[in-house]
Amino acid sequence: MSQEQSRPDVVYVLLNPAMPGYVKIGITEDLASRMKQLFTTPVPVPFSCFYAARVENAARVETQLLEIFGDKRSHPNREFFEVEPHRVAAAIKLAEIEDVTASATSDDSASKEDSESFNRAVNRADRFNFEMLNIPVGSELYFYKDYDITCTVVSRKPPRVEFRGVEMSLSKASQEANASWATDGLRYWEYEKGETLQERRTRMENAESNGT
């Protein structure tokens, strides 16, 4: 194995509120620089990092991910997938040497305009209510990464939760819990453990369309 093959590069899973339902999978030597580079492409708002880790032989890990989630790929020539990000993260963790997710948000150079456009896109992507998901007021939601982190539903419509004693949106609670830019709050919280709110929403919508 060559030195280049064995270098512990980064495999990442990125989200963008302008592309709800999709994740970007890729590899890089420098995560923060890669995210800046991606924002120079024709996307209206910055990407956020859901999960990233250093692994041995990143190219091989990426190839395996593309095989595992190949049926979820949006286009054969694009690294965008219609899959829940925590499923991809779980696969990456099998090869993880070091979790470097925080390095994507350690750079304070994001402009005010970037932050404002990101937040506007999050607000648009976050258009749902707990009534749609059949989740009553008072329900406890669990952060996907750590079930000891919870928030409580305080309003079904509009959807509001209480997190650490403060009422806020679900996306804001995700940002507070994850210490990073979180795009779609539905992807970070679970009502029934093992199923994110986005997966619950998809399941219920599919059942409704199938008349079951």
Side-chain angles (χ1 to χ4, degrees), residues 166-197:
V166 179
E167 183 177 321
M168 61 185 70
S169 70
L170 193 63
S171 289
K172 179 62 175 175
S174 304
Q175 294 171 15
E176 294 289 331
N178 204 42
S180 67
W181 284 5
T183 52
D184 187 349
L186 294 175
R187 294 176 135 178
Y188 290 82
W189 298 92
E190 300 177 7
Y191 174 53
E192 296 176 342
K193 294 179 179 179
E195 179 185 58
T196 65
L197 297 185

Side-chain angles (χ1 to χ4, degrees), residues 75-210:
H75 188 281
N77 297 323
R78 299 288 184 271
E79 293 179 339
F80 288 92
F81 300 79
E82 196 170 3
V83 63
E84 284 302 294
H86 73 282
R87 304 295 181 194
V88 184
I92 295 174
K93 286 180 180 180
L94 296 175
E96 175 188 304
I97 296 175
E98 177 189 7
D99 184 338
V100 295
T101 307
S103 68
T105 56
S106 60
D107 189 345
D108 296 327
S109 63
S111 70
K112 179 181 179 181
E113 290 78 13
D114 290 349
S115 299
E116 289 177 348
S117 66
F118 184 91
N119 289 331
R120 285 195 299 270
V122 166
N123 290 334
R124 287 193 297 270
D126 214 13
R127 288 175 182 166
F128 80 101
N129 60 69
F130 288 115
E131 189 174 292
M132 293 166 51
L133 303 182
N134 196 25
I135 297 177
V137 170
S139 297
E140 194 168 49
L141 305 179
Y142 303 91
F143 192 56
Y144 82 102
K145 214 183 250 189
D146 183 349
Y147 287 163
D148 288 332
I149 300 175
T150 63
C151 66
T152 304
V153 176
V154 295
S155 170
R156 297 180 78 187
K157 194 175 181 179
R160 303 287 289 177
V161 298
E162 182 179 297
F163 182 64
R164 294 173 179 166
V166 179
E167 183 177 321
M168 61 185 70
S169 70
L170 193 63
S171 289
K172 179 62 175 175
S174 304
Q175 294 171 15
E176 294 289 331
N178 204 42
S180 67
W181 284 5
T183 52
D184 187 349
L186 294 175
R187 294 176 135 178
Y188 290 82
W189 298 92
E190 300 177 7
Y191 174 53
E192 296 176 342
K193 294 179 179 179
E195 179 185 58
T196 65
L197 297 185
Q198 180 59 50
E199 290 175 320
R200 180 181 180 86
R201 180 179 187 173
T202 300
R203 174 173 58 79
M204 294 175 71
E205 288 175 347
N206 289 341
E208 183 177 345
S209 65
N210 293 331

Side-chain angles (χ1 to χ4, degrees), residues 37-53:
Q37 180 186 39
L38 286 170
F39 190 38
T40 64
T41 61
V43 293
V45 292
F47 283 85
S48 68
C49 182
F50 184 88
Y51 177 75

